[in-house]
Amino acid sequence: MKKETSIATAIGKIILIGEHAVVYGQPALAIPFPETKIKTIINREKGPVSLECYFYKGLFSKAPDRLLGLTTIVREIVSSFNEKLKDFNITIESSILPERGMGSSAAVAVATVKALYDFFNRPLTEEDLFKWSNMSEKIVHGNPSGIDTAIIIGEKPLYYVKGKPFIPFPFELDAYLVVADTGELGETQAAVSAVKKMVDSNPHKVKPLIRQLGNLTRAAMDSIEKGDIVRLGMIMNNAHAILDELGVSNEKLNYFVSVATKNGALGAKLTGGGRGGCMIALAASKEEAEFICKKLILSGAENTWISNMGVDRK
Ligand code: MEV
């Protein structure tokens, strides 16, 4: 029987460490971030397909280029089903603003692929979910490592190496993660291609930086396994300094990192693509995390969240 409505959801992610280096085969650690929630709703409705989301409301066929990742996979999926692109509408609701380094573009893709498969009554394998969602990411970000798609599909802390099977990395750290939104749109695509330009034009200087980031990710894993939050904080600071050197931080992110560390954070860094978006900071207790959030809001953060590091995350 034909479905009248299909609804699917996906949550966001936070990269703890390893962003950008992960594009070059180095490992990265990511955790799910349920505060970011994307919901795709597909309703049967006679006529041409329409689309409603943060950036656009109108005919699907007239959607702007910035939605090309999404519109391409919708077209391709429907055509792979031998169905017609008509008689339904798509609404995408998001609990946070896009381009914050929280994986909203991958989450939009994941939720929409799931909703389309359900709407057309097709069984969805994890491979197909990854393939379609990452196809959208390739269009949006140019050269994605696949980490955003992998963590958003898996919804579990993840140790990720590009092209390798996903390795869940469960951990329980007695610490809290502060996430602060700079309020500035991140620029993942521009940041990823700027790093590529640096790698190509100055490999002797830049490749060691990328390797250093990989080593920091391995050291972060070791610290997490040993429950050494002080060392983990220092590792985060070092990673931020390298990301800054790679040109993917900006003034506000650097300012937030210094506000967090001056106010008790064990360490802090940008998260995700950078050049805007969010900063993360490690705090030893909930009270300290709340204090850091207060200071960050006073310093201009648009929003802050506190995430426990697995203590009661399942
Ligand atoms: C974006 O969330 C993470 C980057 O490393 C890009 C990628 O891995 O695709 C900046």
Side-chain angles (χ1 to χ4, degrees):
M1 220 182 72
K2 281 190 167 178
K3 292 215 161 116
E4 288 308 307
T5 300
S6 286
I7 299 176
T9 58
I11 59 175
K13 62 92 212 240
I14 291 290
I15 296 189
L16 212 50
I17 190 156
E19 54 275 270
H20 287 288
V22 68
V23 173
Y24 299 90
Q26 296 294 334
L29 291 176
I31 57 172
F33 191 63
E35 283 75 4
T36 311
K37 255 202 198 81
I38 301 286
K39 189 197 259 186
T40 297
I41 305 147
I42 302 183
N43 277 310
R44 195 165 295 284
E45 188 182 36
K46 270 246 155 296
V49 175
S50 63
L51 174 63
E52 182 172 348
C53 63
Y54 177 77
F55 289 116
Y56 176 74
K57 183 175 178 189
L59 280 178
F60 179 86
S61 58
K62 299 247 163 31
D65 277 357
R66 71 179 310 155
L67 295 174
L68 201 59
L70 176 71
T71 53
T72 302
I73 58 167
V74 170
R75 271 183 223 286
E76 297 262 336
I77 290 170
V78 172
S79 141
S80 79
F81 293 160
N82 283 322
E83 298 279 356
K84 296 243 157 42
L85 195 65
K86 62 174 196 171
D87 297 340
F88 63 92
N89 62 46
I90 304 174
T91 305
I92 296 168
E93 294 170 359
S94 174
S95 67
I96 63 143
L97 296 172
E99 285 289 339
R100 290 307 202 261
M102 293 173 174
S104 66
S105 65
V108 163
V110 168
T112 305
V113 174
K114 284 189 196 166
L116 272 174
Y117 269 72
D118 184 67
F119 188 70
F120 287 103
N121 277 314
R122 300 297 202 280
L124 176 60
T125 63
E126 203 159 278
E127 286 73 34
D128 279 339
L129 182 54
F130 185 82
K131 178 187 84 177
W132 293 121
S133 308
N134 210 42
M135 181 188 286
S136 165
E137 284 293 277
K138 277 190 185 141
I139 296 167
V140 176
H141 293 318
N143 183 23
S145 64
I147 190 170
D148 289 12
T149 312
I151 176 83
I152 287 163
I153 290 174
E155 295 191 2
K156 296 251 162 42
L158 179 72
Y159 174 82
Y160 181 85
V161 179
K162 189 177 178 177
K164 296 268 163 68
F166 314 154
I167 305 175
F169 181 62
F171 64 88
E172 285 199 3
L173 259 191
D174 195 5
Y176 290 81
L177 197 70
V178 167
V179 181
D181 184 357
T182 59
E184 293 173 353
L185 284 186
E187 292 175 14
T188 303
Q189 184 178 23
V192 169
S193 54
V195 173
K196 171 142 187 18
K197 255 189 208 143
M198 283 177 85
V199 170
D200 292 343
S201 63
N202 198 355
H204 297 302
K205 180 174 174 230
V206 180
K207 282 190 177 167
L209 294 178
I210 303 273
R211 278 197 296 274
Q212 255 172 279
L213 281 173
N215 289 338
L216 287 173
T217 298
R218 283 180 272 269
M221 270 184 81
D222 183 58
S223 311
I224 290 168
E225 270 157 5
K226 293 182 173 136
D228 189 344
I229 56 173
V230 173
R231 179 165 169 242
L232 180 61
M234 285 187 307
I235 290 168
M236 288 169 70
N237 288 337
N238 292 343
H240 183 77
I242 297 178
L243 290 166
D244 192 22
E245 218 177 321
L246 288 174
V248 296
S249 188
N250 70 6
E251 224 172 275
K252 200 152 182 193
L253 283 165
N254 289 348
Y255 176 54
F256 279 14
V257 164
S258 72
V259 170
T261 47
K262 272 186 202 140
N263 286 287
L266 299 166
K269 61 182 279 295
L270 66 83
T271 181
R275 294 191 167 180
C278 288
M279 181 221 63
I280 54 173
L282 190 67
S285 68
K286 192 152 191 215
E287 292 67 37
E288 281 172 272
E290 279 162 357
F291 181 72
I292 294 164
C293 284
K294 227 185 257 165
K295 292 289 179 182
L296 285 163
I297 290 285
L298 287 173
S299 307
E302 191 142 302
N303 206 346
T304 60
W305 299 263
I306 296 173
S307 182
N308 67 64
M309 302 284 285
V311 183
D312 50 41
R313 186 179 53 230
K314 291 285 167 283

